[in-house]
Amino acid sequence: MMAVLTFVFGGVVGGEHPRSFPLFVLCGLVPYNFFVGAFMTGTTSIVDNAGLVKRVLVPREVVPVAAVLSNCVHLLIQLALLVGIAFAFGIRPNAQWLWLPAIWVLYVAFVCGLALGASAINVYVRDTQRFTGVIRWPRWCWPCAPFCWMVWRRLPL
Amino acid sequence: MINLTLAACLSLAAGYAIFSRLKLYFYEHI
């Protein structure tokens, strides 16, 4: 995906770009992939785990939150890959990187909140999961995706 | 950072409010 986006934005429709443009794209792609995966699994979590919700006495909020947090495993792997690629492009850590843990925690909390609301609505209106599936459509969601804004505004790394 | 904090807090508050209101009738609809 990173290669495709680099080719499209950096080669076909883009102008002059820095050498680290693939890394630039990946910085937006990682949170976007996490958002899509976590929000989708969080939305369907209550319906998918109906047996667990009905039979086991646990706070039901745990189910969508656990679905979101399970996606954090993939996120951590992707972040490790991102850091590795950043080092490969010659980018070294600086003091601003200390903000990253707080930003990621807030981002996960944001997705948890959305998943909580959407999972509860999905129990009553099953089409909610179809509606949230729309976020996979690039045509609709890319204006909301961080990396598109980064590319359009040509923010420096 | 302030925007992200605000977005996270609002999202959690709204999501939890919706969830806690609707979870009372989960058994009938699941």
Side-chain angles (χ1 to χ4, degrees):
Chain A
M1 193 64 186
M2 184 186 75
V4 170
L5 287 169
T6 303
F7 174 71
V8 172
F9 285 110
V12 178
V13 297
E16 288 293 318
H17 291 296
R19 190 180 63 87
S20 56
F21 189 69
L23 179 65
F24 185 70
V25 171
L26 195 63
C27 282
L29 204 55
V30 168
Y32 172 69
N33 282 337
F34 169 73
F35 180 80
V36 170
F39 188 45
M40 289 289 292
T41 53
T43 300
T44 57
S45 59
I46 296 285
V47 174
D48 289 346
N49 298 295
L52 185 73
V53 172
K54 281 198 278 191
R55 291 191 183 89
V56 182
L57 274 177
V58 291
R60 292 165 201 143
E61 291 85 354
V62 168
V63 179
V65 172
V68 172
L69 293 183
S70 67
N71 277 280
C72 288
V73 177
H74 304 286
L75 177 66
L76 288 176
I77 295 169
Q78 289 183 355
L79 283 178
L81 191 66
L82 179 63
V83 171
I85 293 174
F87 276 110
F89 274 103
I91 293 171
R92 295 289 171 261
N94 55 38
Q96 290 181 340
W97 284 35
L98 294 174
W99 284 103
L100 286 174
I103 289 173
W104 281 112
V105 167
L106 287 172
Y107 190 56
V108 171
F110 172 70
V111 180
C112 277
L114 289 182
L116 272 172
S119 64
I121 294 170
N122 188 48
V123 172
Y124 299 90
V125 187
R126 297 295 164 95
D127 284 341
T128 306
Q129 56 192 335
R130 313 283 173 222
F131 179 73
T132 55
V134 168
I135 64 170
R136 281 183 188 276
W137 292 1
R139 191 175 185 180
W140 294 103
C141 66
W142 280 18
C144 306
F147 75 89
C148 275
W149 287 107
M150 289 162 61
V151 170
W152 287 336
R153 295 174 61 187
R154 298 183 190 283
L155 294 178
L157 266 178
Chain B
M1 195 65 187
I2 294 172
N3 287 342
L4 188 56
T5 308
L6 201 62
C9 291
L10 283 176
S11 164
L12 274 178
Y16 186 74
I18 293 171
F19 194 92
S20 55
R21 183 66 62 89
L22 295 181
K23 74 178 181 181
L24 302 173
Y25 308 102
F26 273 178
Y27 284 106
E28 301 162 15
H29 290 87
I30 282 181

